[in-house]
């Protein structure tokens, strides 16, 4: 059984906070967003480095993002207080010479941030200096250091948990994703059998061959295979590889609050000739993700009554794993011990 309401959000993790940052955040610019219940302001220095601050001025509480950014420091729009990339106040214009205020004690919170393959990941922790063993942001294989070829982001009015359950659900596609170019309905359900193994802070569908008769796979060369990895706090990576090229799909779930979530779905590829088709790929991906969102919006009507939900083997086994992995993470952190993955190697079977 599973309770309908989502569990509290996990701290001590890196969350994808700003996708496709190379395009969305230019040097000398700033952007505001809310992640994990925190108001954030993202700033890119003129040298290209990104820093992230709590978007609240400690003087009168106005968001710093209403001010200006000179490429080095943020200037508050209310009284002109200035803050550097570490959140340290460097100037209070109203002070006169004889007023000696220790500016080292005036600051707004700075969040650890890393820009990896075109996305900014932010770490949310009570003490960012602690936590050996905290999962690092993922680095996608084969696709280099550039940003995604196509990105779609949509807001889902649900908890992060329920967005994650949809991410790992192997049986809904025939009923939800019924576009003419994808499926025409659940007319034929086929038996599936996939082999799984534990992976860092999650699990992995083992690499297996894809049908050679599908023309799209031939673009990648011979011997096309795929593997899918799921990991806390809410990351799914599908790595499709052939003898010539690779395609990687990264899906990251970013909580805005305990009841609001943004799902980022992005594609990376090694075929340069595919770049001009990026708008079409993005459009198709948006249709696909919208279908998921429509179901989640409708689902909230029933979840509002907090029903006990029934999960069945083997189709819902990954949702059970997600709950177990998450609970083990919380227990390990509370007890000050190493995380012990509760997922064991297993073969799952279902029809879809």
């Amino acid at each position: 059984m599973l309770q309908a309401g989502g569990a509290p959000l996990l701290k001590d993790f890196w969350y994808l906070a700003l996708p496709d940052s190379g395009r969305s955040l230019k040097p000398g610019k700033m952007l505001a967003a809310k992640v994990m219940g925190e108001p954030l302001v993202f700033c890119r220095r003129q040298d290209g480095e990104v820093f992230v601050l709590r978007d609240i001025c400690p003087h009168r509480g106005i968001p710093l993002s209403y001010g200006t950014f000179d490429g080095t420091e943020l200037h508050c729009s209310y009284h002109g207080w200035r803050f550097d990339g570490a959140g340290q106040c460097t100037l209070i214009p109203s002070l006169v010479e004889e007023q000696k205020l220790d500016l080292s004690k005036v600051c707004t919170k700075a969040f650890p941030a890393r820009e990896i393959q075109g996305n900014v990941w932010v770490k949310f922790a009570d003490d960012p200096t602690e936590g050996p063993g905290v999962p690092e942001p993922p680095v996608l294989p084969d696709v280099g250091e550039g940003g995604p070829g196509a990105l779609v982001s949509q807001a889902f009015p649900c908890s992060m948990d329920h967005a994650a359950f949809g991410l790992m659900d192997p049986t809904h596609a025939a009923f939800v994703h019924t576009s003419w170019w994808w499926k025409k309905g659940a007319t034929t359900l086929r038996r599936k059998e996939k082999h799984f193994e534990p992976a860092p802070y999650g699990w992995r569908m083992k690499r297996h061959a894809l049908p050679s008769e599908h023309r799209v796979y031939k673009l990648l060369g011979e011997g096309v295979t795929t593997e899918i990895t799921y990991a806390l706090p809410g990351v799914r990576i599908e790595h499709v590889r052939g003898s010539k090229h690779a395609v990687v799909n990264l899906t990251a779930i970013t909580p805005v609050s305990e009841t609001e979530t943004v799902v980022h779905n992005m594609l990376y590829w090694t075929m340069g000739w595919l770049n001009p088709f990026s708008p079409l790929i993005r459009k198709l991906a948006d249709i696909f993700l919208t279908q998921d969102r429509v179901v989640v919006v409708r689902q909230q009507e029933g979840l509002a009554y907090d029903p006990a939900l029934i999960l069945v083997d083997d189709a819902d086994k990954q949702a059970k794993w997600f709950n177990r992995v998450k609970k083990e993470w919380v227990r390990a952190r509370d007890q000050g011990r190493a995380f012990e993955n509760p997922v064991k190697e297993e073969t799952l079977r279902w029809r879809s």
Side-chain angles (χ1 to χ4, degrees), residues 301-343:
E301 297 179 20
L303 294 182
Y305 296 92
D306 198 27
L309 306 179
I310 301 172
L311 300 182
V312 299
D313 289 336
D314 284 357
D316 294 323
K317 193 62 170 286
Q318 294 178 78
K320 293 183 178 181
W321 285 344
F322 182 81
N323 282 330
R324 293 171 188 168
V325 170
K326 193 172 180 180
K327 289 178 181 178
E328 163 57 16
W329 167 263
V330 173
R331 285 194 298 265
R333 297 296 290 170
D334 290 345
Q335 297 170 11
R337 58 172 174 83
F339 170 85
E340 298 179 6
N341 197 331
V343 178

Side-chain angles (χ1 to χ4, degrees), residues 120-149:
V120 174
W121 299 77
V122 174
K123 184 179 179 182
F124 292 85
D126 293 329
D127 184 352
T129 64
E130 292 185 352
V134 171
E136 292 294 315
V139 178
L140 306 180
D142 291 344
V143 293
E145 299 180 0

Side-chain angles (χ1 to χ4, degrees), residues 114-338:
R114 293 186 189 174
E115 189 168 24
I116 300 174
Q117 294 173 313
N119 304 303
V120 174
W121 299 77
V122 174
K123 184 179 179 182
F124 292 85
D126 293 329
D127 184 352
T129 64
E130 292 185 352
V134 171
E136 292 294 315
V139 178
L140 306 180
D142 291 344
V143 293
E145 299 180 0
L151 162 70
V152 175
S153 297
Q154 289 197 19
F156 280 46
C158 68
S159 70
M160 183 174 176
D161 281 12
H162 280 288
F165 296 151
L167 190 68
M168 59 193 66
D169 179 359
T171 63
H172 74 284
F175 303 91
V176 175
H177 301 297
T178 55
S179 301
W180 63 266
W181 48 272
W182 178 252
K183 293 180 183 291
K184 294 184 179 180
T187 55
T188 303
L189 298 181
R190 295 184 175 87
R191 177 187 172 96
K192 303 290 178 64
E193 181 176 297
K194 303 297 181 183
H195 308 291
F196 293 82
E197 62 185 359
Y201 304 98
W203 63 93
R204 180 185 300 109
M205 181 189 294
K206 290 185 178 182
R207 185 166 292 280
H208 57 278
L210 290 172
S212 58
E213 64 271 15
H214 288 189
R215 293 182 179 179
V216 67
Y217 296 142
K218 294 184 183 298
L219 299 175
L220 305 181
E222 301 298 325
V224 180
T225 61
T226 186
E227 70 175 14
I228 304 175
T229 303
Y230 304 84
L232 293 180
V235 176
R236 176 188 185 273
I237 299 173
E238 182 171 3
H239 179 205
V240 183
R241 181 178 61 201
S243 60
K244 296 181 179 179
H245 291 289
V247 174
V248 181
N249 174 222
L250 169 64
T251 305
I253 302 173
T254 302
V256 177
S257 67
E258 291 191 356
T259 58
E260 304 168 275
T261 303
V262 177
V263 178
H264 306 290
N265 193 322
M266 58 196 74
L267 279 169
Y268 295 74
W269 52 72
T270 61
M271 305 88 78
W273 57 264
L274 195 57
N275 294 342
F277 298 95
S278 180
L280 174 61
I281 296 171
R282 187 166 56 247
K283 178 62 176 178
L284 297 179
D286 187 64
I287 293 173
F288 199 88
L289 192 57
T290 297
Q291 292 168 336
D292 282 320
R293 186 183 184 279
V294 168
V295 168
V296 167
V297 170
R298 293 171 177 172
Q299 182 188 30
Q300 301 315 297
E301 297 179 20
L303 294 182
Y305 296 92
D306 198 27
L309 306 179
I310 301 172
L311 300 182
V312 299
D313 289 336
D314 284 357
D316 294 323
K317 193 62 170 286
Q318 294 178 78
K320 293 183 178 181
W321 285 344
F322 182 81
N323 282 330
R324 293 171 188 168
V325 170
K326 193 172 180 180
K327 289 178 181 178
E328 163 57 16
W329 167 263
V330 173
R331 285 194 298 265
R333 297 296 290 170
D334 290 345
Q335 297 170 11
R337 58 172 174 83

Side-chain angles (χ1 to χ4, degrees), residues 59 81 88-107:
H59 179 211
W81 290 26
Q88 181 66 56
C89 182
T90 62
L91 177 68
I92 297 179
S94 64
L95 294 178
V96 296
E97 292 80 0
E98 63 268 24
Q99 294 170 334
K100 304 300 182 182
L101 176 64
D102 185 0
L103 293 186
S104 68
K105 297 180 179 179
V106 181
C107 60

